[in-house]
Amino acid sequence: PRLCGNLADAYFFHDDLPEAAAWYRRALFLVDSLALPKSENVTLYLGLARIYMNLNDFATSRRYYEQTALHYGSMPPSMQAYFLNDYGSYFYYSHDYRSALTKFRQLEQMLVERHMDSNFDMYLCRLNLADVYLNLGMTAEAKRCLALVEPYFVKMDDATAVYYLNTIKVGLALRDGDMAAVKRLLASERADFVPMYNMRHIRNGYLRDYYVRTGDYRRAYDVMEEGNRQTD
C-alpha cells in the first residue's frame, strides 16, 4: 500500500490526476484486503481529498478530509501540520476564507505549542495566512505575514514559495492601485520556472485584473484563454 501511495503522490505532482486517483484507490483496496490498521488510510484519504479539491468537487473532497480528521489525535505532529495545512487549503480554494483562516490559525497555534515555530511548516502556514488575509481585505496582516516569511524562502531559493509570495504581493499592489509595483514584480521573476496548476490559477486571476486595469485587453484575454486550457 505504501508503494502504491508513493506512486500516487508522484502522479499527483505531475498533474496526472486520473492515474494518481487509481493508485490511491489501489492502496486503499490493499489496506482493506490485508486487514491493515485503518490508520494506514490517512495519507490516502488526504491524497484523494486533494484530487477532488483540484477538480472543484468540494463535497467529495470534504468527505475525505472529514474521514482523515477522525485520526487527527493519533497523528504525529508533522502529520497533524500537513493535515491542517491541507484542510485550510481546501477552505481557501472553496472560497470559504473565514474557515480557512480558522484552520491556518489552528495550525499556527499547534506549531507554537509544540515548539515547531521555526521550521518549514510555520513558514508555509504564514505564507498561506498572508493570502487568506489578502482575500479577507486584511492587508496589514497580509503584509506582516509576508515580512515574516520572505527572507526564509528567498534564502532557501524555494522557487514555488517565492512565486506564490510574489503572487500575493501582486494582489496587494492591485489593492493599493500600484500598477508600477506589479510591473516590477513580474519583470523580476525567473523566466524558466513553471509552477504547478494551482499556483498558476491563483496568479492568472490577478494578471487578468492587472491587464484590464492597464488597458491591455488582448493580454487579459490571452491569460483567460490560457487559464481555461489549464483547467481543461
Side-chain angles (χ1 to χ4, degrees):
R2 292 183 182 180
L3 175 59
C4 293
N6 287 341
L7 278 168
D9 290 341
Y11 281 112
F12 176 84
F13 286 113
H14 280 277
D15 284 335
D16 189 342
L17 302 188
E19 198 68 21
W23 282 106
Y24 283 131
R25 293 189 182 282
R26 176 66 179 169
L28 285 171
F29 168 78
L30 289 171
V31 169
D32 183 57
S33 62
L34 295 171
L36 296 176
K38 293 300 182 184
S39 58
E40 294 287 327
N41 288 335
V42 170
T43 58
L44 308 176
Y45 289 150
L46 271 177
L48 286 167
R50 284 201 311 266
I51 287 175
Y52 284 108
M53 177 177 69
N54 280 10
L55 295 173
N56 287 346
D57 183 350
F58 295 114
T60 304
S61 178
R62 183 159 190 172
R63 189 170 76 244
Y64 281 111
Y65 279 120
E66 288 173 349
Q67 287 179 284
T68 308
L70 297 175
H71 301 278
Y72 180 81
S74 61
M75 296 178 191
S78 59
M79 190 65 195
Q80 288 179 337
Y82 185 83
F83 166 69
L84 289 173
N85 183 73
D86 240 39
Y87 209 174
S89 296
Y90 160 82
F91 287 116
Y92 170 86
Y93 286 115
S94 58
H95 305 295
D96 184 353
Y97 299 116
R98 286 290 171 190
S99 295
L101 181 61
T102 298
K103 283 298 171 190
F104 287 127
R105 279 179 167 169
Q106 181 184 350
L107 171 57
E108 186 179 37
Q109 182 180 352
M110 185 274 283
L111 292 170
V112 169
E113 289 174 352
R114 294 182 176 273
H115 308 290
M116 299 166 63
D117 48 324
S118 60
N119 67 7
F120 177 83
D121 291 322
M122 181 60 91
Y123 288 104
L124 179 60
C125 172
R126 286 177 173 157
L127 180 59
N128 287 327
L129 273 171
D131 199 1
V132 173
Y133 283 130
L134 169 60
N135 280 278
L136 289 171
M138 303 167 66
T139 55
E141 282 298 299
K143 290 175 182 178
R144 180 185 66 83
C145 287
L146 287 184
L148 289 172
V149 304
E150 183 170 14
Y152 173 84
F153 286 122
V154 170
K155 182 179 179 181
M156 294 290 290
D157 195 25
D158 187 323
T160 299
V162 170
Y163 178 89
Y164 187 25
L165 195 147
N166 284 344
T167 296
I168 299 168
K169 283 185 172 182
V170 166
L172 287 166
L174 287 171
R175 279 188 177 265
D176 292 339
D178 190 348
M179 302 300 116
V182 176
K183 185 177 181 179
R184 286 195 303 271
L185 276 166
L186 297 178
S188 70
E189 290 191 310
R190 289 169 47 179
D192 61 337
F193 175 65
V194 180
M196 290 180 64
Y197 165 77
N198 281 346
M199 295 289 101
R200 298 196 305 270
H201 185 69
I202 296 169
R203 172 70 68 90
N204 282 348
Y206 291 125
L207 287 179
R208 288 196 304 273
D209 185 22
Y210 168 66
Y211 290 130
V212 167
R213 290 169 68 176
T214 55
D216 192 343
Y217 299 106
R218 165 53 59 186
R219 294 194 73 177
Y221 178 79
D222 289 343
V223 168
M224 183 184 71
E225 286 290 282
E226 179 194 2
N228 289 340
R229 284 194 300 271
Q230 291 170 359
T231 300
D232 289 343

